[in-house]
């Protein structure tokens, strides 16, 4: 049995869960999410607890058991607390701001500013500049109720200007990420 799949999910009183065969809808104070449960997996709601069962011990059903439980638990957490990913923009002359249409505008050393429009359900925030070891760091926060979407948006923003490997003080990185510096070529 899957250790993660066996654990029940506690549903807070502020959350409403709707189960209809393979469709689950979770509604809470921050919004609502829905998902289709894969074949061979069944979810049960009793007394504020969601339990996940699988129909057989096939390899596919075993692998989906824990995954389904994790995704439903993330849905419950998302509609109650939400998720956020923090990024840092590091580099001399680099700037980030949110324009009037709630788009992220980045000046990261290209000949033109790069504009990123977030999908529905995602909010972007740029915090005041911080100085770390004499370099300016611009914190950016991606937040929303869907954990997968928050992570995808953060990865898309990071992809605009990945951290330099020969000069690791430039680029967009996740907060707490260590960038390993490569050794440059020698002229010998």
């Amino acid at each position: 049995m899957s250790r993660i799949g066996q654990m029940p999910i506690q549903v807070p009183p502020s959350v409403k869960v709707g189960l209809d065969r393979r469709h689950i809808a979770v509604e809470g104070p921050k919004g609502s999410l829905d998902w289709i449960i894969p074949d061979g997996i069944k979810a049960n709601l009793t007394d504020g607890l969601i339990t996940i069962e699988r129909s057989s011990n096939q390899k596919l059903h075993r692998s989906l058991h824990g995954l389904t439980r994790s995704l439903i638990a993330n849905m419950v957490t998302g509609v109650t607390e939400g998720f956020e990913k923090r990024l840092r923009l590091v580099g001399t002359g680099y700037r980030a701001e949110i324009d009037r249409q709630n788009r992220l505008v980045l000046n990261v050393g290209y000949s033109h500013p790069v504009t990123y429009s977030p999908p529905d359900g995602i909010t972007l925030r740029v915090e005041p500049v911080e100085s770390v070891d004499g370099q300016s760091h611009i914190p950016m926060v991606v937040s929303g109720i869907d954990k997968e979407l928050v992570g995808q948006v953060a990865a898309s923003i990071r992809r605009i200007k990945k951290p330099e490997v020969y000069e690791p003080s430039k680029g967009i990185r996740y907060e707490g990420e260590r960038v390993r510096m490569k050794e440059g070529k020698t002229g010998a």
Side-chain angles (χ1 to χ4, degrees):
M1 291 294 285
S2 168
R3 287 178 293 197
I4 292 175
Q6 286 180 6
M7 298 184 333
I9 303 165
Q10 183 71 40
V11 179
S14 61
V15 175
K16 287 191 275 183
V17 176
L19 276 171
D20 180 34
R21 291 189 181 234
R22 292 184 43 224
H23 185 265
I24 184 166
V26 181
E27 187 176 336
K30 291 202 176 244
S32 62
L33 295 169
D34 58 347
W35 187 59
I36 305 280
I37 298 171
D39 287 331
I41 304 294
K42 183 180 176 191
N44 300 315
L45 175 65
T46 53
D47 299 329
L49 289 176
I50 299 174
T51 55
I52 310 298
E53 299 172 355
R54 62 179 185 236
S55 61
S56 72
N57 270 338
Q58 292 179 356
K59 186 174 184 176
L60 176 65
H61 294 157
R62 288 194 318 256
S63 64
L64 290 174
H65 190 200
L67 173 71
T68 301
R69 191 259 177 218
S70 295
L71 292 176
I72 294 173
N74 286 341
M75 290 170 66
V76 172
T77 304
V79 298
T80 55
E81 301 166 20
F83 295 100
E84 74 175 26
K85 285 270 190 186
R86 302 181 70 80
L87 300 164
R88 289 197 171 257
L89 175 61
V90 181
T92 304
Y94 288 4
R95 292 191 312 267
E97 61 184 23
I98 304 292
D99 68 2
R100 290 185 181 149
Q101 289 89 21
N102 288 328
R103 296 179 304 184
L104 180 65
V105 180
L106 297 169
N107 291 319
V108 288
Y110 298 130
S111 61
H112 59 284
V114 179
T115 304
Y116 181 81
S117 299
D120 292 338
I122 296 293
T123 55
L124 300 175
R125 192 171 74 239
V126 176
E127 296 181 346
V129 178
E130 299 174 359
S131 181
V132 178
D133 297 331
Q135 290 183 327
S136 65
H137 286 231
I138 301 172
M140 299 179 291
V141 180
V142 179
S143 57
I145 61 172
D146 188 352
K147 186 174 185 177
E148 180 183 1
L149 189 58
V150 168
Q152 182 60 51
V153 168
S156 298
I157 292 172
R158 183 180 182 271
R159 198 176 305 125
I160 292 170
K161 184 73 171 184
K162 288 184 180 177
E164 299 275 337
V165 291
Y166 293 108
E167 197 174 336
S169 61
K170 296 169 85 175
I172 301 172
R173 63 183 78 173
Y174 295 111
E175 189 160 293
E177 177 182 7
R178 286 188 53 196
V179 179
R180 294 178 61 188
M181 188 169 165
K182 279 188 174 179
E183 192 174 313
K185 293 183 179 179
T186 57

